[in-house]
Amino acid sequence: MQVTFQNLKVIKNKKGNLIKIYSKRDFFRRIAESYISEINHNKIKAWRFHKKTNQKLVLIEGNCIVVVFSKKKIKKFKLSYKKPKLLQIPKKTWYGFKNLSSKKKVKILNFIDKKYDENEIERKKINEIRYNW
């Protein structure tokens, strides 16, 4: 599995659009849990690494940068509510977030394929991986 970034289908409606996130055929075999992660205005949450858990992320409010560090390569992805995307982060990949929204929290919907377990997560301080936020 590799990091992937794909467009989500937006179904237009004059009363309010519908954004299709989940389809059984293109998701995990199973979803163990889903939660919303918030990032406060002008804050960075970095660095995290899941030993066993694959993630699929959808931004539901705000704008942010997601930086992924895998196999000595750094990739940057911009998530925006106005252009919905699904970002897949496989296990054994370092990643972090920066809120780009003005005076708003960023909210990210996270689908994981294993039950959340604090013991399977590794963390590094922001300066332990060289990246200029």
Side-chain angles (χ1 to χ4, degrees), residues 68-82:
V68 177
F69 180 73
S70 179
K71 298 178 184 171
K72 300 186 181 189
K73 290 184 181 176
I74 292 180
K75 293 183 181 178
K76 180 173 96 172
F77 302 93
K78 184 172 182 184
L79 295 178
S80 169
Y81 180 74
K82 293 180 181 180

Side-chain angles (χ1 to χ4, degrees), residues 12 27 29 47 54 85 89 93 98 110 125-126:
K12 301 284 185 182
F27 229 78
R29 291 195 171 130
W47 297 97
N54 297 298
K85 307 261 188 203
I89 300 178
T93 303
K98 180 178 182 179
N110 191 348
K125 293 180 181 172
I126 195 165

Side-chain angles (χ1 to χ4, degrees), residues 5 65-68 74-78 87 131-133:
F5 195 50
I65 295 288
V66 182
V67 177
V68 177
I74 292 180
K75 293 183 181 178
K76 180 173 96 172
F77 302 93
K78 184 172 182 184
L87 179 61
Y131 184 76
N132 184 10
W133 291 94

Side-chain angles (χ1 to χ4, degrees), residues 2-120:
Q2 63 183 1
V3 175
T4 61
F5 195 50
Q6 65 191 62
N7 292 324
L8 293 176
K9 185 175 182 178
V10 178
I11 299 165
K12 301 284 185 182
N13 183 309
K14 58 186 169 188
K15 294 180 184 177
N17 295 340
L18 179 110
I19 301 168
K20 185 177 178 183
I21 297 171
Y22 172 79
S23 176
K24 191 173 185 176
R25 66 186 159 99
D26 57 19
F27 229 78
F28 302 128
R29 291 195 171 130
R30 73 169 225 240
I31 297 171
E33 288 187 352
S34 182
Y35 58 88
I36 295 173
S37 180
E38 295 182 336
I39 306 160
N40 291 332
H41 166 67
N42 217 18
K43 296 295 179 186
I44 297 169
K45 276 189 176 180
W47 297 97
R48 286 160 176 67
F49 177 97
H50 287 269
K51 299 174 205 169
K52 300 176 184 176
T53 304
N54 297 298
Q55 302 173 84
K56 293 207 179 198
L57 309 171
V58 177
L59 187 99
I60 58 174
E61 187 173 327
N63 295 294
C64 76
I65 295 288
V66 182
V67 177
V68 177
F69 180 73
S70 179
K71 298 178 184 171
K72 300 186 181 189
K73 290 184 181 176
I74 292 180
K75 293 183 181 178
K76 180 173 96 172
F77 302 93
K78 184 172 182 184
L79 295 178
S80 169
Y81 180 74
K82 293 180 181 180
K83 294 183 180 179
K85 307 261 188 203
L86 180 70
L87 179 61
Q88 177 175 290
I89 300 178
K91 62 187 171 190
K92 300 181 181 177
T93 303
W94 287 99
Y95 66 95
F97 305 96
K98 180 178 182 179
N99 182 338
L100 299 177
S101 298
S102 58
K103 300 181 184 179
K104 271 188 176 180
K105 284 184 182 180
V106 160
K107 293 182 182 180
I108 299 172
L109 178 59
N110 191 348
F111 297 95
I112 56 178
D113 64 350
K114 306 263 188 278
K115 189 172 189 299
Y116 185 86
D117 178 2
E118 187 65 33
N119 295 320
E120 74 91 33

